[in-house]
Amino acid sequence: MTQPEAKKPEPKSTADEPWPVRVVSQKVGAWIAKLGWVWVDGQVAQISRRPGSGVVFLTLRDPSADLSLTVTAHRDVLDAGAPELAEGARVTMHAKPEFYPARGTLSLRADEIRQVGLGELLARLERLKKLLGAEGLFARDRKRRLPFLPGRIGLITGRASAAERDVLMNTRRRWPAVEFRVVNVAVQGPTAVPQIIDALKVLDNDDTIDVIVIARGGGSVEDLLPFSDEALCRAVFAARTPVVSAIGHETDAPLLDYVADLRASTPTDAAKRIVPDLADELRLIELARNRLDRAVIGLIERERHRIESWRSRPVLARPESLIDQRAAEVTALRDRAGRSLEHRLRRADDDLRHTVARLRALSPAATLQRGYAIVQRADGHVVRAADEVAADDLLRIRLASGELAARVGSDE
């Protein structure tokens, strides 16, 4: 047996040997054809039924992104799966991607179209709700507290809508000085989600915005579907600025309510939540001032009574009495000190006189006064015995009054 010839690899395109447009187009078509048949989910943005034609043209849009594809289907396929299909409806279709080389466009060719009913939409929302909840997008501990008095509020809502009027009018009625930056977007339909996400990014990047309000009036479940979109929920979760959800009526509960930092039951309720009431705040300030006045007056009265109680005491009623008492004590101490000093001086004087008397009694002068004399030799030695002198010695005789000079005579 002969071996089959190996397939030669296709030459690569180079600057010297580029591929013609037809080759590139053929290769793109071949790669797209490999995808085969797929199930596609999207929102119908446009339907074109041309009279006399068996082909229906649809524009299928991604609800979460600004992307769309053209879809062609036979009229029988549409009538069998979704005979009452209208723009804005959610559909699931079995289609095959096709590339048209002549126009260089990509489209889908559908052989089965199913319109998603309300029950299926609600089931999808419930599955998405469980998914986002499991990821922590609804966690209460990550919700941020709104500022007490925001300086500037960002508002995302429909143009000239009742929701815009309710938020602006009721907020300014409560706090006239509040400032707004309003971004008008589509709040339903295939373009709603991309526009709301873009507006959210613009306001979140504005440093002057303290809180963002997303508001819409009531509507059917289908009308409120954009506010349960996964991309919008994740964008709100990632925002740095606190977000308030004010969608529909109190009974409406899109997924945005669970992700937002604060859920308002209506746009009017949002106005009550984002700013305080000036009249209430003035009344509270007045009440606080009255309480403060009463507290200060009560404190002053208590201190005044305390001072009067202190002043009624004798030490403060007659403060000079303390000085008089101390002066009397000083006088008494001074008198006692004087008497003690005088007594000690008299006693010392008596002792001195007694001492003088004893000294005088024992003094040689007193002895001389009684007739005695003191005999001294020339050298001053007191003569006490006769043998202490010799003949012709000069003697000095001291008397009570005066002195005498004498010479010692001989025994002969």
Side-chain angles (χ1 to χ4, degrees):
M1 285 182 69
T2 59
Q3 297 291 333
E5 295 183 1
K7 188 177 180 180
K8 295 182 180 180
E10 296 182 359
K12 294 183 179 180
S13 63
T14 63
D16 296 330
E17 296 181 1
W19 287 345
V21 174
R22 65 180 181 278
V23 175
V24 175
S25 179
Q26 291 172 358
K27 291 184 179 294
V28 171
W31 277 105
I32 292 176
K34 291 181 181 179
L35 183 62
W37 292 88
V38 294
W39 284 98
V40 185
D41 174 69
Q43 188 175 25
V44 177
Q46 185 178 3
I47 302 176
S48 177
R49 295 184 176 91
R50 297 176 182 177
S53 175
V55 179
V56 179
F57 296 90
L58 301 91
T59 300
L60 190 65
R61 186 181 187 88
D62 191 316
S64 302
D66 191 12
L67 297 173
S68 61
L69 286 173
T70 301
V71 181
T72 60
H74 198 276
R75 184 182 295 271
D76 295 338
V77 173
L78 184 61
D79 292 341
E84 298 181 358
L85 187 64
E87 294 180 358
R90 196 74 173 263
V91 295
T92 300
M93 62 177 60
H94 189 246
K96 182 179 181 180
E98 292 182 343
F99 182 73
Y100 294 91
R103 296 191 301 270
T105 59
L106 175 67
S107 65
L108 299 176
R109 178 166 57 86
D111 64 354
E112 185 178 353
I113 298 177
R114 300 177 184 178
Q115 183 170 354
V116 180
L118 180 59
E120 177 63 21
L121 285 176
L122 294 178
R124 290 184 182 183
L125 291 181
E126 187 63 27
R127 290 194 296 270
L128 179 59
K129 180 180 178 181
K130 292 180 180 179
L131 173 64
L132 298 180
E135 293 183 13
L137 270 69
F138 304 158
R140 298 182 65 88
D141 56 356
R142 51 88 28 202
K143 295 184 183 298
R144 292 153 295 191
R145 184 185 298 273
L146 269 61
F148 171 73
L149 183 59
R152 197 178 188 203
I153 301 171
L155 176 61
I156 302 174
T157 186
R159 184 180 302 277
S161 62
E164 178 181 3
R165 183 177 62 255
D166 289 346
V167 173
L168 296 179
M169 182 179 64
N170 288 284
T171 304
R172 287 170 176 159
R173 181 182 299 168
R174 292 172 62 84
W175 198 273
V178 68
E179 295 184 5
F180 275 93
R181 180 180 178 181
V182 182
V183 180
N184 295 120
V185 297
V187 291
Q188 69 182 60
T191 62
V193 173
Q195 290 187 22
I196 296 173
I197 293 176
D198 291 342
L200 179 64
K201 291 179 180 178
V202 170
L203 295 179
D204 192 38
N205 292 328
D206 188 346
D207 294 334
T208 65
I209 300 298
D210 295 324
V211 63
I212 299 173
V213 181
I214 302 176
R216 187 201 191 282
S220 64
V221 176
E222 292 84 352
D223 293 338
L224 300 181
L225 280 178
F227 301 97
S228 294
D229 185 83
E230 180 179 0
L232 177 59
C233 291
R234 295 188 183 279
V236 171
F237 181 79
R240 298 180 295 108
T241 309
V243 178
V244 177
S245 174
I247 307 301
H249 302 298
E250 188 170 357
T251 56
D252 298 320
L255 297 185
L256 179 62
D257 287 351
Y258 299 95
V259 183
D261 297 286
L262 177 67
R263 186 250 180 184
S265 58
T266 62
T268 301
D269 181 54
K272 298 179 181 179
R273 299 290 196 94
I274 56 181
V275 294
D277 191 330
L278 179 60
D280 291 342
E281 296 304 318
L282 291 176
R283 184 173 62 256
L284 292 175
I285 292 175
E286 186 64 24
L287 291 175
R289 291 181 63 182
N290 292 336
R291 288 198 301 269
L292 183 60
D293 290 343
R294 291 194 297 270
V296 172
I297 291 174
L299 178 61
I300 293 175
E301 287 296 323
R302 288 195 299 271
E303 296 303 321
R304 186 175 62 83
H305 290 315
R306 183 180 300 178
I307 292 174
E308 290 179 354
S309 175
W310 289 346
R311 293 179 61 185
S312 63
R313 296 177 183 179
V315 68
L316 292 180
R318 290 188 66 256
E320 66 275 8
S321 62
L322 182 62
I323 298 175
D324 294 342
Q325 181 181 357
R326 295 294 180 264
E329 292 177 358
V330 170
T331 302
L333 290 173
R334 185 178 60 189
D335 293 344
R336 189 171 61 183
R339 289 193 300 271
S340 176
L341 179 61
E342 183 179 0
H343 174 70
R344 294 183 67 178
L345 289 175
R346 284 199 301 269
R347 190 173 60 184
D349 183 63
D350 292 341
D351 291 342
L352 182 59
R353 284 198 299 269
H354 290 307
T355 301
V356 170
R358 286 196 300 273
L359 288 175
R360 286 178 178 176
L362 298 176
S363 174
T367 303
L368 296 176
Q369 290 290 340
R370 291 197 299 271
Y372 293 95
I374 298 174
V375 180
Q376 294 177 307
R377 291 189 310 206
D379 57 2
H381 179 75
V382 177
V383 179
R384 292 181 175 84
D387 56 359
E388 293 181 355
V389 296
D392 295 330
D393 287 341
L394 292 177
L395 298 177
R396 177 185 175 193
I397 301 172
R398 294 182 60 187
L399 303 174
S401 177
E403 294 181 359
L404 295 176
R407 182 182 297 274
V408 178
S410 62
D411 292 339
E412 295 179 358

